[in-house]
Amino acid sequence: MSAHQERLQDVVAATVEVAAESGQAGVFTEEVARALTAVVGKIAVKAVADAEVGGFVNGWQEAIEALGEKPAGARGAQVYRMPSSGADI
């Protein structure tokens, strides 16, 4: 399980706990439900975005390793200069 999944599970568990406590106290309202849903939604969006970026970086590093090249620079990124479309070659 990834750190992103664990973080999302922790937030969902805490949200369910707050909802249950609100219900027991008799203060669970539509507004509380909307607020808790918004919290879970925002954390989920952030977790998915972080996972996508992490997956891209890992995939890029694996591709460079598969080519047998040593990563140069920050996090293995390589820059290739391409001529512009109107440049003389």
Side-chain angles (χ1 to χ4, degrees), residues 33 48 59:
V48 168

Side-chain angles (χ1 to χ4, degrees), residues 15 18-19 22 27-43:
T15 303
V18 169
S22 295
V27 294
F28 189 80
T29 63
E30 189 174 326
E31 291 80 22
V32 171
R34 279 195 203 116
L36 294 175
T37 301
V39 168
V40 172
K42 288 183 183 225
I43 296 298

Side-chain angles (χ1 to χ4, degrees), residues 1-74:
M1 181 177 303
S2 74
H4 305 294
Q5 289 172 322
E6 289 176 13
R7 180 174 58 188
L8 186 55
Q9 284 180 343
D10 289 345
V11 170
V12 170
T15 303
V16 169
E17 186 177 331
V18 169
E21 290 173 2
S22 295
Q24 289 174 345
V27 294
F28 189 80
T29 63
E30 189 174 326
E31 291 80 22
V32 171
R34 279 195 203 116
L36 294 175
T37 301
V39 168
V40 172
K42 288 183 183 225
I43 296 298
V45 167
K46 175 85 170 102
V48 168
D50 290 348
E52 287 176 350
V53 169
F56 174 79
V57 169
N58 290 339
W60 179 263
Q61 290 170 344
E62 289 175 14
I64 296 300
E65 288 172 9
L67 292 173
E69 298 178 13
K70 297 276 185 194

